[in-house]
Amino acid sequence: MSTDEYRRGREVERERQQKQRKARGRYRGVIPVIYAIGFVIFTGVSLFIGPEPAFTVYVVTHLFYAGLIRADIKSLRSQGIDWGASRHLWFGASFALPFVAPLYYLYSGRVIRRENESRGLAD
């Protein structure tokens, strides 16, 4: 008999329930919408007002993206998806690079799909 057969309690039940539920990114669906809105605001500000306010829009939106990406990774990790060290790279890159949010959206979709397939819950 393995040691898992003797384990009891809330933690074991929580692990068992996590494996039966489909993993999904809590904030993943919001990222493309916020990215599109930020792109429109950035373009409008840079065309009509100037480069200094556009840089401010750039900084604020990337801080917001970083927060969304961090919250999404945290929610995925709470669902049992292990990211390893790449979660730090995604979070750090979202501060400075303009195309990280859409790339994260695509990558996290792949990770979620792979996890759901391994759980036997794929669509």
Side-chain angles (χ1 to χ4, degrees):
M1 292 191 158
S2 69
T3 59
D4 287 340
E5 293 177 23
Y6 294 108
R7 292 177 53 205
R8 302 279 188 259
R10 293 183 195 142
E11 190 67 31
V12 175
E13 288 300 318
R14 196 174 303 133
E15 287 176 12
R16 198 173 291 146
Q17 288 175 355
Q18 281 180 348
K19 292 190 180 198
Q20 294 173 354
R21 278 192 235 144
K22 225 177 190 182
R24 64 176 194 86
R26 183 170 295 151
Y27 304 102
R28 185 175 174 271
V30 178
I31 291 174
V33 174
I34 299 297
Y35 192 82
I37 291 170
F39 181 75
V40 169
I41 291 171
F42 176 77
T43 305
V45 168
S46 64
L47 289 176
F48 297 114
I49 299 176
E52 292 86 12
F55 180 72
T56 304
V57 170
Y58 176 81
V59 169
V60 169
T61 56
H62 279 78
L63 289 174
F64 192 71
Y65 299 147
L68 278 176
I69 289 172
R70 181 182 179 277
D72 194 55
I73 289 173
K74 193 173 181 181
S75 76
L76 290 173
R77 289 186 72 212
S78 71
Q79 296 175 44
I81 297 177
D82 184 30
W83 281 78
S86 72
R87 70 180 187 271
H88 301 295
L89 295 174
W90 283 109
F91 176 66
S94 62
F95 279 117
L97 303 174
F99 297 112
V100 170
L103 293 175
Y104 170 79
Y105 178 80
L106 295 173
Y107 178 76
S108 65
R110 202 174 85 199
V111 168
I112 292 168
R113 192 175 323 106
R114 182 178 27 187
E115 180 67 23
N116 286 334
E117 286 173 359
S118 72
R119 293 179 182 183
L121 301 171
D123 288 335

